[in-house]
Amino acid sequence: MTDADLKKKREILFAKFPPGQVPEAADDLQRLDEVEIELKYEKRSLGVAYDLQEHTLQELDEHLVDKGYHLDNTLLSKLTRALIYYVEETQLHNLGAPEKRIKRSAQEAYVNAWEQHPHGDHDDTPPEWREYK
C-alpha cells in the first residue's frame, strides 16, 4: 500500500437543522492535528483530508456527534458512511497483516514428500491378520 492510498479526502454532510453547524464544526475539527478542512456551505458539508494512520472518518464523525452536531441521516448518507468505515477499517487491518508469501519455501516440499513416504518400521500386513492367532 502506498502513501497515496492512506491519504483520504472525504465529505461530512450535516442535517438541515439546527442551521449553522458547518462553520462551528469546522472550527472544532481544525483543533485536531493532521486534519485539513474545507467548508462547503452550499452542500451543508465539510471536506476533510486526513492520513488514515492518524484518523478515520468514523473517528471524526463520532467526535462531531459527541460534541452535539447532527449529521445527515438520509439512507444514502448512512450507507456511504458504513461503506467508508468498513473500507478504512479493512485497510488499517491489512497494514498490520503479514505479507502473503507468493512462493512456498523449498523445505516445505521436502516435509510434505517425507510425510507421504513410508519409512521406519512400516508393516504392510493388514490389521486383521496381525491379530490372528
Side-chain angles (χ1 to χ4, degrees):
M1 215 177 285
T2 65
D3 286 341
D5 293 336
L6 299 176
K7 300 287 185 201
K8 302 296 178 188
K9 288 186 178 184
R10 308 284 190 210
E11 238 181 79
I12 299 175
L13 299 168
F14 292 90
K16 289 181 182 178
F17 297 103
Q21 294 187 91
V22 174
E24 293 175 16
D27 288 340
D28 203 333
L29 286 180
Q30 283 178 337
R31 294 187 189 116
L32 298 176
D33 292 335
E34 309 288 328
V35 178
E36 297 171 24
I37 306 296
E38 178 188 348
L39 286 95
K40 298 180 179 183
Y41 291 107
E42 67 284 349
K43 292 174 138 183
R44 284 189 333 273
S45 68
L46 287 177
V48 291
Y50 55 91
D51 187 313
L52 191 57
Q53 292 175 314
E54 299 294 327
H55 300 285
T56 62
L57 182 64
Q58 185 170 8
E59 173 197 330
L60 298 175
D61 285 349
E62 288 173 358
H63 173 80
L64 291 172
V65 169
D66 288 347
K67 296 284 185 171
Y69 296 102
H70 299 272
L71 302 182
D72 184 40
N73 274 330
T74 61
L75 181 60
L76 181 61
S77 292
K78 287 180 177 181
L79 289 172
T80 303
R81 276 197 301 267
L83 178 63
I84 292 171
Y85 294 172
Y86 172 75
V87 168
E88 289 183 353
E89 181 182 324
T90 302
Q91 278 186 300
L92 286 173
H93 174 75
N94 288 343
L95 283 175
E99 192 95 12
K100 188 173 182 180
R101 294 183 302 170
I102 296 173
K103 192 173 187 180
R104 292 184 149 187
S105 69
Q107 279 185 325
E108 202 169 337
Y110 292 115
V111 169
N112 289 337
W114 178 255
E115 289 175 347
Q116 302 302 320
H117 179 70
H119 52 275
D121 58 345
H122 182 73
D123 186 3
D124 289 327
T125 309
E128 59 271 6
W129 286 11
R130 285 189 219 144
E131 297 173 9
Y132 181 74
K133 293 186 181 187

